[in-house]
Amino acid sequence: RRFAVNVLAAGDHDHSRRFSRGAGRLELGEWEAGETGAPLLKDALARFECETRERIQMGDHQIIIGEVMA
């Protein structure tokens, strides 16, 4: 029910690639748990911890609408 949005700078492709690989992504030392326990990138431009408010199915995708909690 909770998730994080980490806004990266244009030059942060490495962070994006490592996170997208999945396994071990939180063990890189670049992440920390936020107030809600969501994983936050330490050097992100902006970080939002959200709680899911609605899920909308669109074909084979899902749109998740969240409320910013922290």
Side-chain angles (χ1 to χ4, degrees):
R1 293 196 41 101
R2 294 194 173 152
F3 61 95
V5 176
N6 293 279
V7 180
L8 302 176
D12 285 339
H13 295 100
D14 289 341
H15 288 308
S16 177
R17 276 190 226 104
R18 282 194 299 261
F19 185 81
S20 69
R21 290 188 186 126
R25 66 182 178 227
L26 299 179
E27 298 168 8
L28 296 173
E30 300 166 347
W31 300 87
E32 61 190 356
E35 291 177 28
T36 67
L40 300 173
L41 182 61
K42 291 179 182 177
D43 295 331
L45 292 177
R47 312 176 320 169
F48 303 96
E49 296 178 69
C50 305
E51 187 168 304
T52 301
R53 290 292 174 229
E54 187 174 353
R55 292 175 184 261
I56 302 168
Q57 192 67 39
M58 297 294 272
D60 63 349
H61 288 76
Q62 208 175 69
I63 297 171
I64 299 173
I65 300 171
E67 178 181 353
V68 176
M69 307 303 287

